[in-house]
Structure formats: structure tokens, C-alpha cells
Amino acid sequence: MERVKAQYATLLQDSPTVAANIDLLLQENTYTITTGHQLNIFTGPLYFIFKIMTAIRLSEDLRVKHPDKNFIPVYWMATEDHDFEEINHTKVYGKKIAWETPAVSATGRMDTTSIVDVVKQYTNILGLSDNSAKLTRIVEQAYLKHKRLADATRYMVNELFKSYGLLIIDADDKELKELFKPIIKTDILSENSFKAITDRSKELEAKGFSTQVHAREINFFYLTDEFRERLVLAADGRYEVLHQNIYFTKEELEREINAHPERFSPNVVMRPMYQEIILPNLAYIGGGAEMVYWMQLKSNFDQYQIDFPILIPRNSAMITEDNVAAKLFVSI
């Protein structure tokens, strides 16, 4: 996939296993094992790492069992997400470190110029070991040498996992959105996902399951460098971008989607379908809440005749003190 190579740019020169896996995407016997997460600074919560390692380990196990096929781990960056307050902080040794800056548009497009002091706070806590020095170098190169948060995150995750051939995808990309354009247009104009997911959610609730997400009539945002706002059908029949005084007739909206699909950003219920259209995906790795909302989406995949992936919970771990671990071992 040429677009994936273009996103990596010069990083591939020092990432031969990643470059080889990108080339394998063109083969019919190649499958991806995907996980996704927001662009938490310095990786944020530990399950960010657990999700990626689960995808890597599963890919390795499948290669052993099926040597005639290729299995590639993928980290799908949630670059179009706009909930900056969820990703602008991390904790190290109990100390919270936060990047306090005004949020704009999608988080992947955010300028990292103002993160310099936050990087210093983070690296000063890491200590003086060889691993600390290595991590400091990676963090400084990632956040101080890359202007966009998406590029900084790609650099950091690639440095940590490139030896495993992990692919990192930024779907905030016009050429990738071109592949999704037919569904963007159909779903906005016909409200197909709203109907299918609402019915599926009712079925799950009737069986005693708590649903995690609620489909809207239109499940896309309108995205620019300045804002990411919901697209809604106004009372006068035009399509409105909320809070921006931007309106489209049906014909104008169709022309806008055709010319600028990159401006139409899927919400939580349509992003999984976008992912599955782009990738030859076999399985998705997620947390418990993700497993639930993916199950709400099955009927939507069916109506668009898009393959639904196998859902696999991420691995988990508990970090504890030695004396607690000893007591647990004795009790076992």
C-alpha cells in the first residue's frame, strides 16, 4: 500500500521488517491482526501497550500454525478523535504530567510545539538507567522533532515495536478516505447505520447485555484543521455542520463528499467499518467495552456486505508489590 509507505516516509529506512510487511499487504494470503487506540501522550495507560503486544503475539502464533499465510500486526491510530482531555496526560510513579494546551480539530493534527516543557517533566522522572536513557531519546525525538501529534506517535510506537513488524495506520488521509467514499455517501443520505445498529442494540438489550454506544441518524463529523463537528439533517432539509453556520443541500453534500472525502470523519460506530474496508483484517483486539460496542455493529456490516472480524479481548496484567505477589502465589 503506497499510502502507508508515504505515511512512514523516511522511517522505513531503519524499519526493514515493517517495510517488508507493507509489501506483504498486496498478497492474497496476507491477513492483518488489528488493534486501535487514541494518541495518548507517552503511550498513556499501560493497556495501550497490552493491546499492541496482544496483536503482535497473536500474529506470531498464527504464522507458526499457518506458515503458508502472512499475519501482520497493525496499530490503528485514532487520529481523528477530538477528545483531547482523554489523551493529554499520563502518570509516572504516581505523578500526573499533563499537556495543557487548547484543543483544536482532530488530535492527530495538533501541533506539538507547546509540548516541550511536558517532555522535560516526563524525561526528568525516568531516572538514569540505560533503558531510561533509551526511552528519553525516543520521546525527545518523537515529540520535539515532529510537528503533528500523529507523526510523533507513529515515531514513538515504531521505535518501540518496529522489530516485530508492527504497521501503524493513520486513517486521516484523503486517499484512504477515497476507498470509503461510497459508504460515506450512502450512509449519510440513507441513514442505514442508524437503523441497523439501533435494531441490533435492542436485540442485545433484550438478551440482558448493556450497550456501549448509540448510533445517530448521521454518524459522521465534518472535519477541518480548525474543527470537527457533527453533521446533522436540519429541519429545512439541508445538512448542517453544527456550531459552524455551514449548510449543504443534498446535491451540494454529494459534491463535497466526492471532492473532499477527507472532510468526513466517521464516529465510533462507523470507524470500525472504515478500518475493515482498508485492511485485509482477520481479527480485532480490544478491551471489554470495545468488544461490546463491536457486537452492536454486526448487522451494519451485514447490510453493507463487509466481513466482520473475529473479536479478541486484549491481554491484561496486574502490577503489584512483591509481598502482595508472594501472598497470591501462596494462595494459589
Side-chain angles (χ1 to χ4, degrees):
M1 295 177 68
E2 293 304 317
R3 280 310 302 161
V4 178
K5 287 184 178 180
Q7 289 183 5
Y8 271 87
T10 58
L11 289 184
L12 290 181
Q13 296 173 6
D14 191 38
S15 308
T17 308
V18 175
N21 277 349
I22 293 175
D23 289 335
L24 288 176
L25 287 174
L26 299 176
Q27 298 186 14
E28 291 186 1
N29 63 337
T30 294
Y31 302 90
T32 54
I33 307 297
T34 302
T35 192
H37 202 74
Q38 296 161 292
L39 308 184
N40 295 78
I41 61 170
F42 318 130
T43 76
L46 194 54
Y47 53 75
F48 182 107
I49 302 296
F50 289 161
K51 292 168 85 171
I52 291 174
M53 286 307 303
T54 304
I56 289 172
R57 180 57 188 269
L58 179 57
S59 298
E60 292 176 344
D61 290 346
L62 288 171
R63 286 190 209 112
V64 173
K65 289 190 175 182
H66 304 279
D68 59 324
K69 297 179 175 61
N70 306 308
F71 299 94
I72 301 172
V74 172
Y75 164 49
W76 179 284
M77 296 195 294
T79 51
E80 295 180 64
D81 186 86
H82 61 254
D83 197 341
F84 183 61
E85 291 184 357
E86 287 192 359
I87 70 162
N88 75 336
H89 60 277
T90 191
K91 285 187 176 182
V92 184
Y93 303 127
K95 177 179 174 60
K96 182 178 179 180
I97 300 172
W99 179 21
E100 302 291 355
T101 191
V104 294
S105 188
T107 55
R109 300 186 183 190
M110 290 192 63
D111 190 329
T112 57
T113 302
S114 64
I115 204 173
V116 175
D117 288 339
V118 184
V119 169
K120 290 180 180 178
Q121 291 180 50
Y122 180 77
T123 56
N124 285 341
I125 295 177
L126 295 179
L128 301 174
S129 69
D130 290 342
N131 281 335
S132 296
K134 180 180 179 180
L135 183 56
T136 294
R137 179 191 62 78
I138 292 172
V139 168
E140 290 178 344
Q141 186 69 24
Y143 293 96
L144 305 184
K145 301 297 183 181
H146 295 84
K147 188 173 179 59
R148 297 167 66 249
L149 184 57
D151 298 327
T153 304
R154 179 188 290 107
Y155 179 88
M156 183 170 187
V157 175
N158 185 64
E159 283 297 299
L160 295 173
F161 299 106
K162 63 184 178 183
S163 63
Y164 301 98
L166 177 75
L167 298 193
I168 303 166
I169 305 292
D170 180 358
D172 186 8
D173 184 293
K174 182 174 182 178
E175 291 190 33
L176 294 180
K177 286 281 180 73
E178 287 284 346
L179 301 174
F180 196 40
K181 186 162 64 177
I183 289 183
I184 295 175
K185 187 185 303 182
T186 298
D187 207 77
I188 291 175
L189 298 179
S190 301
E191 300 182 359
N192 289 342
S193 61
F194 171 69
K195 299 166 186 174
I197 295 170
T198 298
D199 290 343
R200 173 66 171 168
S201 298
K202 290 178 180 178
E203 290 176 9
L204 290 171
E205 288 171 349
K207 294 179 180 179
F209 294 96
S210 298
T211 53
Q212 292 290 323
V213 295
H214 299 281
R216 298 183 182 276
E217 286 80 0
I218 297 176
N219 291 289
F220 287 86
F221 294 86
Y222 191 76
L223 174 64
T224 72
D225 286 336
E226 289 74 40
F227 62 83
R228 181 180 187 244
E229 292 285 359
R230 282 178 52 209
L231 186 67
V232 300
L233 183 61
D236 63 3
R238 294 183 298 169
Y239 292 88
E240 176 187 1
V241 179
L242 289 180
H243 311 123
Q244 298 299 323
N245 197 31
I246 298 175
Y247 295 86
F248 301 98
T249 65
K250 178 182 177 181
E251 294 73 20
E252 289 170 341
L253 185 67
E254 290 187 79
R255 288 196 295 270
E256 183 75 357
I257 295 171
N258 285 331
H260 298 287
E262 74 279 7
R263 294 178 183 172
F264 293 84
S265 177
N267 71 359
V268 66
V269 305
M270 290 303 291
R271 182 206 57 77
M273 185 172 292
Y274 178 29
Q275 169 188 298
E276 298 303 310
I277 285 174
I278 291 175
L279 297 170
N281 206 40
L282 179 66
Y284 182 79
I285 309 291
E290 288 177 280
M291 297 294 98
V292 174
Y293 81 67
W294 270 83
M295 289 304 301
Q296 291 179 249
L297 311 180
K298 179 64 168 62
S299 58
N300 200 32
F301 277 75
D302 291 344
Q303 73 170 334
Y304 282 114
Q305 298 183 322
I306 304 298
D307 290 336
F308 192 77
I310 300 167
L311 303 179
I312 300 176
R314 62 169 169 81
N315 288 334
S316 299
M318 180 174 67
I319 299 176
T320 185
E321 297 177 358
D322 290 344
N323 61 337
V324 175
K327 291 179 180 178
L328 288 173
F329 181 77
V330 171
S331 65
I332 293 173

